[in-house]
Every structure is written in structure tokens, then in C-alpha cells.
Amino acid sequence: MPELPDVETFRRYVDATSLHQRIAGVDLDATRMLQGARADEIRAALTGGRFERTERRGKFLFVAIDDGPWLVLHFGMTGLLTYFKADGAAPSHTRLLVQFEDGYRLAGVWRRRLGRIDLAHDPDDFAVTNELGPDAFEPELGRDELASMLRGRRGGVKSALMDQSFVAGIGNVYSDEILFQAGLLPDRAAAELTDDELDGLHRALRHVLATAIDRQADPGRLPSSWLLPR
């Protein structure tokens, strides 16, 4: 499942390929993935506009449309993005196809229809409405902030890391890696972590996410000492 490092890689991919180009048309084959906005609303919001900038909150990618709302993408279990020239066939399982006037396309591909395509007026409002906790990689989530949040938390530390309303962006794969690097068992009581354990957890969280982002969330490029390449 795409987690924070994967979605950050997608965000940078959109920045590198798809900004500031006039959108000529939009195809949607994603009825079950639409949550809030209708297909005709998404087509109308995008067609004739341009993608201007991107943001990411946890596992959600936001793409600003000039003079309009933000396109919201969640990648579910299998989602990814592909940019290609129009003379090539769209990938199998394309659910969202953005057609640019210059002849290129941006395809949102979901092999399984588990994900989300939506519109939002503002990423901050969307995060509040959808009860997203602070982004796991934002600089403001320091050691002391994380410690304060965990002290009031019931249950194990892994369940805390995976709870998107607690901290957004971490799922099963990266929570395991973070805890492995921190030397903590997944069921270690979150509220009972010692100061040394909290220090190690925060260091591991920052290190794992930064390294995975730097290596484009490619398991084959991650350190061989990690769990993920195995």
C-alpha cells in the first residue's frame, strides 16, 4: 500500500511532469472511488485549467487547479501515477486520465478500485474534515510533540503510528520499519515508553521516512540492513 514516502514521490513526480500545462480533457472510470465530488464536477474543475502546485498530507496528494479547487488523490492499495505521450496507450487499470493540450497525459492507475478521487477547497480544511492527524514528516512533529501525544495513548505503539487520526502517513510497512530501527516491539505500550525509547522512536521515524523519500520509496534502493528489501 502506498504510504507517506510513496505519496511524496508521486507529489514530486507531478511537480516534475504536469504543472502549468493546459488541461484539454479528463476521462474518469472510477465511480466507486469518488467520495464527495461527482465525476462531472471533477471534469469541469480540471478541464481548461492548469495544475499549479502540489501538497501532501499523510497519504493524500493535493494538486491545486488554477482559479479552482484542489484535486485530491488517495492511492489505496495499488495506486500510482504515470505520465506519457499521447501516442502511447494508457496503462491498464487507468481510472483517471488527464489530457494536456501539448499531447501528454497523466494517468492515475489503480489495479484495485481502492482509493479516492475527490475535490477540496483547501488541504487544511480537508484534513480537519477527514480527521487527519499531523503529518508524520512535518518538521513541527518534534520529539517532545510526539512524546506528549503518546503519553495519552492507549494500546501499542504500532497501532498508534498506524492511526491516521493520530499521525498521518504511516501504514503497516513503514511502522514495522520504524519500530525495527528503534528496537521496539509493536505491542509495546505507547503511553509507557521511556525517555530513551521516545528519543529512539523519533530518530527512527525521521530517519526511515527521510531515507525512503530520498530513495523514491524503492525497496530495491533501501539499505540492505532494513526489513523492507527482504
Side-chain angles (χ1 to χ4, degrees):
M1 175 185 290
E3 299 182 25
L4 188 156
D6 307 86
V7 181
E8 179 62 20
T9 300
F10 299 156
R11 188 192 69 78
R12 296 180 184 189
Y13 184 73
V14 172
D15 282 355
T17 61
S18 304
L19 297 187
H20 315 304
Q21 304 176 56
R22 183 72 66 186
I23 298 170
V26 177
D27 292 334
L28 272 171
D29 178 23
T31 302
R32 285 185 291 169
M33 296 171 60
L34 303 182
Q35 299 183 27
R38 300 189 311 270
D40 62 328
E41 292 175 322
I42 295 173
R43 293 190 191 97
L46 271 64
T47 302
R50 294 181 174 92
F51 293 146
E52 292 298 332
R53 65 189 187 279
T54 59
E55 290 189 18
R56 182 196 50 73
R57 305 293 173 91
K59 302 178 186 179
F60 286 89
L61 173 63
F62 299 85
V63 187
I65 306 161
D66 60 340
D67 299 322
W70 295 70
L71 175 67
V72 182
L73 300 176
H74 186 281
F75 296 91
M77 297 287 292
T78 62
L80 55 87
L81 298 173
T82 300
Y83 182 79
F84 63 100
K85 198 169 184 179
D87 55 7
S92 298
H93 310 297
T94 293
R95 310 302 178 193
L96 170 66
L97 185 65
V98 179
Q99 307 164 24
F100 298 108
E101 283 188 348
D102 66 358
Y104 282 81
R105 307 286 187 261
L106 180 68
V109 179
W110 284 263
R111 182 170 50 84
R112 298 174 63 185
R113 296 174 190 260
L114 299 174
R116 181 170 179 176
I117 302 172
D118 206 344
L119 297 174
H121 292 295
D122 178 83
D124 291 333
D125 291 343
F126 182 91
V128 171
T129 300
N130 288 269
E131 299 181 343
L132 295 180
D135 186 86
F137 198 57
E138 69 177 23
E140 292 78 10
L141 186 62
R143 183 269 186 204
D144 292 342
E145 288 72 22
L146 181 62
S148 178
M149 292 163 60
L150 287 169
R151 286 192 187 101
R153 179 81 188 188
R154 292 183 178 180
V157 63
K158 179 175 179 176
S159 65
L161 292 178
M162 290 180 59
D163 182 350
Q164 301 305 296
S165 67
F166 177 74
V167 59
I170 300 172
N172 186 59
V173 170
Y174 282 97
S175 61
D176 280 346
E177 190 64 57
I178 290 165
L179 295 174
F180 176 71
Q181 298 292 331
L184 292 171
L185 293 174
D187 59 357
R188 177 80 169 92
E192 297 176 7
L193 294 177
T194 67
D195 286 345
D196 286 346
E197 288 173 330
L198 288 165
D199 291 343
L201 176 62
H202 186 258
R203 282 196 303 270
L205 185 152
R206 298 294 301 181
H207 172 68
V208 166
L209 295 180
T211 302
I213 290 169
D214 182 62
R215 304 189 187 191
Q216 299 180 313
D218 180 353
R221 298 178 58 198
L222 296 175
S224 59
S225 59
W226 284 25
L227 290 174
L228 276 169
R230 301 179 186 181

